[in-house]
Amino acid sequence: MIILASGSPRRRELLQTAGVNFKVCAAQGDEVLDPSLHPADAAVEIARQKAAEVAEKYPRDCVIGADTIVVVDDLILGKPKDKNDAANMLALLSGREHTVYTGVCIINDGDENCFAEATQVEFYPLTPEEITAYVESGEPMDKAGAYGIQGIGCVLVKGIKGDFFNVMGFPVARVLRAIR
C-alpha cells in the first residue's frame, strides 16, 4: 500500500490523476527547518521527518513524505503567516526568477530513498494593485512562496524551467519512477 504522509490537496490530486491507489495519513509533527542546510537539503529533511513519522505507523508500506519551499536570494519562503507576509513575498518575487524545491522521502519497508527536485520560475513584474488583489483572493495563504501556479497565481508566472508539477508541490513522475 502507498501512504501519502501529507494533507496537501494538490499532492492528493496529482497522485489521483496519475491513477495511483493510495491512502492519506498526514504527518502531524512540527516541521523543523535546519537553516544551516542548503535549501534543497532542508526540504528533503522535512520530507524525511514527515515520512519517518508516518512510517512508524505503517512500517511495511511505501510512505511518501514531501515538502516544498521557494527560494530567492538564498532566502527560504515558506507559507505566509498573514496577508502582509504574503504581499511582501510576492513583492520580493516580482519580476524575478526564483527556485522551487520539493524534497521527497520515500520509505518502503524500512528503506529510504530521498531526493529534491528543483524548478526555476520567473515572475512578471507585479504592480502593488496586482499583489493586493491576489492576496485578497486568499489563494496565497497556504502556499510556499505565497502563490499557486495551478490557480489564479498562473497569471503571475512568465515562465518555468523544469517540472511544472514540482511547482505545485509534487514532482509526481519522478516520485512514481522512484517507487518502481
Side-chain angles (χ1 to χ4, degrees):
M1 167 70 75
I2 294 174
I3 311 291
L4 179 62
S6 171
S8 164
R10 286 157 297 284
R11 292 183 183 122
R12 282 194 308 256
E13 176 188 341
L14 288 170
L15 280 175
Q16 288 169 341
T17 300
V20 175
N21 184 20
F22 67 99
K23 175 180 176 178
V24 173
C25 180
Q28 301 300 313
D30 292 333
E31 297 176 4
V32 181
L33 180 70
D34 182 346
S36 70
L37 294 176
H38 181 277
D41 297 329
V44 167
E45 176 55 25
I46 292 173
R48 193 199 60 72
Q49 292 169 20
K50 292 177 183 180
E53 176 189 323
V54 173
E56 286 184 16
K57 298 175 193 165
Y58 299 94
R60 299 252 181 247
D61 293 307
C62 178
V63 178
I64 304 168
D67 188 69
T68 302
I69 58 175
V70 172
V71 179
V72 63
D73 293 338
D74 296 323
L75 179 65
I76 294 175
L77 305 180
K79 296 176 183 177
K81 295 184 276 301
D82 54 32
K83 288 181 178 181
N84 189 50
D85 194 29
N88 288 337
M89 286 184 192
L90 293 165
L92 186 61
L93 298 174
S94 175
R96 303 181 63 203
E97 191 172 278
H98 60 276
T99 305
V100 177
Y101 293 101
T102 299
V104 175
C105 184
I106 301 165
I107 301 178
N108 194 357
D109 200 19
D111 294 327
E112 283 188 14
N113 178 8
C114 300
F115 59 87
E117 183 74 22
T119 303
Q120 302 299 314
V121 180
E122 183 180 1
F123 266 25
Y124 283 106
L126 306 175
T127 67
E129 295 78 18
E130 288 172 309
I131 291 171
T132 298
Y134 184 55
V135 170
E136 289 302 318
S137 77
E139 187 176 89
M141 300 317 297
D142 69 338
K143 294 171 182 64
Y147 74 96
I149 196 169
Q150 72 281 1
I152 301 166
C154 68
V155 302
L156 311 175
V157 177
K158 185 174 183 180
I160 70 168
K161 295 176 196 150
D163 185 340
F164 172 82
F165 299 108
N166 186 55
V167 183
M168 286 178 62
F170 201 61
V172 67
R174 185 168 177 193
V175 169
L176 295 180
R177 281 169 168 49
I179 289 172
R180 289 188 197 130

